[in-house]
Structures are given as structure tokens and as C-alpha cells.
Amino acid sequence: MKKIDHVAIQVNDIDESVKFYVNRFGCEIIHQDDTWAFLQFENIKLALVIEDEHPYHIAFETGEWIFGAVEHRDGSVSRYDEDPSGNAIELIRYKNA
């Protein structure tokens, strides 16, 4: 079974965008650096990315093994792919899944 884990959108300035979403919607910051931020809302996560650093995409969490996945610093593994229209999708599995 897969569920939508997060959506990644492109922003011009990470810090400015984090402040906007935190102040406007009261979300929590999971991670933030100069190239991306990860925000937790009640029902979904939002990734803020800058151009040429991380692709904007929609991510689906899966408990299944992901062929060709790359391990991330938080222990999750993921792989990027494209839908038939060329939209970036990410399959992600967290270490406790």
C-alpha cells in the first residue's frame, strides 16, 4: 500500500518560505538548511526546494523494498521516477516501516 508522504515545491528563498508557512499555518520544521526544508503539517509533509538542488515532486511512502533506492541521512531510502507526463515522483521507505 502506498500513501502520499509529501509534496515538494520550488521556492526562491528557503528561510523566507519556512517563515511564511510556519507563521501562516503553524506547521513544524522537521529539517532546514540552505537548499531545502521539510515541514510537517497535520496530514502531510511539505518539502521546500530551490532550483537545481532538489527536484520538485510528489512522494509516495511505501513499505516495500525499492529497487535502485538511495539511502538518506535519516535512514530512509528513496528513488525518483517519472509519471507518463514527465512529472517527478519519489518512492520513499522509512527505516521503521
Side-chain angles (χ1 to χ4, degrees):
M1 178 179 190
K2 293 178 179 62
K3 68 176 187 174
I4 294 176
D5 181 68
H6 66 271
V7 174
I9 60 173
Q10 184 177 321
V11 298
N12 296 324
D13 182 288
I14 297 294
D15 190 51
E16 176 183 55
S17 297
V18 166
K19 288 176 185 170
F20 170 81
Y21 283 101
V22 169
N23 292 335
R24 180 85 181 256
F25 300 105
C27 58
E28 295 178 25
I29 302 168
I30 299 171
H31 174 84
Q32 180 179 353
D33 65 27
D34 293 336
T35 66
W36 73 286
F38 212 26
L39 306 176
Q40 179 69 58
F41 289 79
E42 188 174 314
N43 61 334
I44 196 167
K45 291 177 278 222
L46 176 66
L48 306 174
V49 300
I50 58 174
E51 189 175 13
D52 299 329
E53 286 293 328
H54 304 277
Y56 39 99
H57 60 275
I58 185 168
F60 296 90
E61 182 180 351
T62 179
E64 303 167 5
W65 183 75
I66 304 169
F67 178 77
V70 174
E71 186 170 354
H72 303 287
R73 56 191 142 191
D74 66 356
S76 65
V77 294
S78 73
R79 175 176 63 94
Y80 287 98
D81 206 345
E82 289 185 350
D83 73 7
S85 297
N87 296 300
I89 60 171
E90 179 183 22
L91 298 176
I92 189 165
R93 181 173 51 88
Y94 292 97
K95 60 183 171 184
N96 19 348

